Amino acid sequence: FDSRFRLLRERVEAMKAIWTQEKAEYHGKLVDFDPVFAWPKPVQKPHPPIHVGGAFPGGARRAIRYGDGWVPILGPDLMKNQISEFRKLAREAGRDPAKLEVSLYGFPVDADRLKRARDAGADRVVFFAPPLARDAALEWLDRAAAL
């Protein structure tokens, strides 16, 4: 438990090495391997985007340190403050805040909250799709798509 965030960081760094180097190796405290070959390489360059989830400020700092985006754990009332603080921390760390996406996961299908998320600086929302029968699911999808 105490080493979980170090392990996460090292695994992400190791995967980036595998994805971007013909012959990759990684030597960390918890992840350690000699040169390996792995194909196919991802289509996205330099690698698929890494979105790091977690609460503020720890999750935000981890996303800034080795991610391409942040998936915060926050309530609707915290959105604006924490997203703007995330952008500020990114600038202070020498990262371009515009290149770090903020994705809100498990979002309700609610036009007012969606507008607030956009205004707070969220780049994307991922709706939570409830388990519904076919007709109800199609109706729900139509409502979500309209937003």
Side-chain angles (χ1 to χ4, degrees):
F1 185 81
D2 292 339
S3 62
R4 70 192 185 280
F5 296 126
R6 175 189 281 268
L7 180 61
L8 173 64
R9 178 184 49 79
E10 288 188 10
R11 285 181 175 171
V12 169
E13 290 171 351
M15 286 305 306
K16 286 181 178 181
I18 291 168
W19 289 336
T20 60
Q21 300 169 18
E22 184 173 329
K23 187 165 129 178
E25 63 182 289
Y26 187 88
H27 301 287
K29 184 175 180 184
L30 301 171
V31 176
D32 186 22
F33 55 86
D34 290 329
V36 296
F37 297 93
W39 289 278
K41 300 293 185 191
V43 173
Q44 299 98 327
K45 299 298 178 206
H47 53 72
I50 306 295
H51 291 246
V52 179
F56 188 87
R61 286 190 182 115
R62 286 185 290 279
I64 292 165
R65 182 172 180 190
Y66 54 86
D68 302 301
W70 179 42
V71 183
I73 299 171
L74 49 76
D77 298 330
L78 300 174
M79 253 187 313
K80 187 169 188 172
N81 292 340
Q82 291 190 1
I83 293 173
S84 65
E85 280 297 308
F86 170 72
R87 304 278 187 213
K88 178 183 170 195
L89 287 174
R91 276 189 300 279
E92 290 170 356
R95 298 284 310 266
D96 179 354
K99 292 185 178 179
L100 292 168
E101 298 177 321
V102 175
S103 301
L104 305 179
Y105 179 78
F107 214 77
V109 177
D110 178 302
D112 183 55
R113 286 187 63 189
L114 186 62
K115 181 183 180 307
R116 286 176 33 216
R118 182 200 62 210
D119 293 347
D123 298 293
R124 163 188 308 109
V125 299
V126 179
F127 294 123
F128 173 74
L132 299 168
R134 181 185 182 279
D135 290 343
L138 291 173
E139 181 182 314
W140 183 91
L141 288 168
D142 286 341
R143 280 196 324 270
L147 292 178

